[in-house]
Amino acid sequence: MGKEHINRSNFIYVAMYITIINSFIEEAFFRGFVFLNIKTLGFCKLGAIYSALLFSLYHIGIMSSWFSIYMFLLTLSALFGAGILLNWFAYKGKSFLSSWPIHIAANLGINTIGFLIL
């Protein structure tokens, strides 16, 4: 499957990595390090926007060749919105661990669709 070299024999391993490990790393960085640290400095809204922007831009390398430009921009906007939502969960729970289960659930849904397509 493209430049990622995902196929039937390695899909389950890649999906498990993305769902559990990569989502944890993303949450620890984008919510735990970026958002919550900027929030602690007294700039909650700025932290939420900046973290969500970084989160969406981080995914460009992964999906840049998947879609037309319009679908790409729509997906980028959706990732920004997802970043804002995940920040809200981290804000309410006072930890990136509060947003991690939501991220896991989103990745499970995306990976299930990928599995059905593959």
Side-chain angles (χ1 to χ4, degrees), residues 47-113:
I49 292 168
Y50 184 61
S51 170
L53 179 64
L54 290 178
F55 178 71
S56 62
L57 294 176
Y58 163 79
H59 289 86
I60 287 177
I62 300 165
M63 62 176 197
S64 62
S65 62
W66 292 359
F67 309 113
S68 69
I69 187 67
Y70 301 111
M71 187 58 76
F72 173 75
L73 293 173
L74 178 64
T75 304
L76 207 58
S77 299
L79 282 164
F80 178 82
I84 294 290
L85 180 66
L86 291 168
N87 286 332
W88 183 81
F89 279 98
Y91 173 80
K92 286 297 191 181
K94 298 178 177 62
S95 169
F96 75 90
L97 295 174
S98 301
S99 55
W100 187 35
I102 310 305
H103 198 147
I104 287 172
N107 283 352
L108 279 172
I110 292 165
N111 290 335
T112 300
I113 293 168

Side-chain angles (χ1 to χ4, degrees), residues 15-46:
M16 288 174 62
Y17 171 81
I18 290 169
T19 300
I20 299 167
I21 297 169
N22 198 65
S23 67
F24 180 84
I25 293 168
E26 287 181 19
E27 288 307 305
F29 181 73
F30 294 112
R31 256 53 73 194
F33 181 71
V34 177
F35 170 63
L36 292 176
N37 278 326
I38 294 173
K39 179 186 132 337
T40 302
L41 297 173
F43 301 101
C44 188
K45 287 182 183 178
L46 175 65

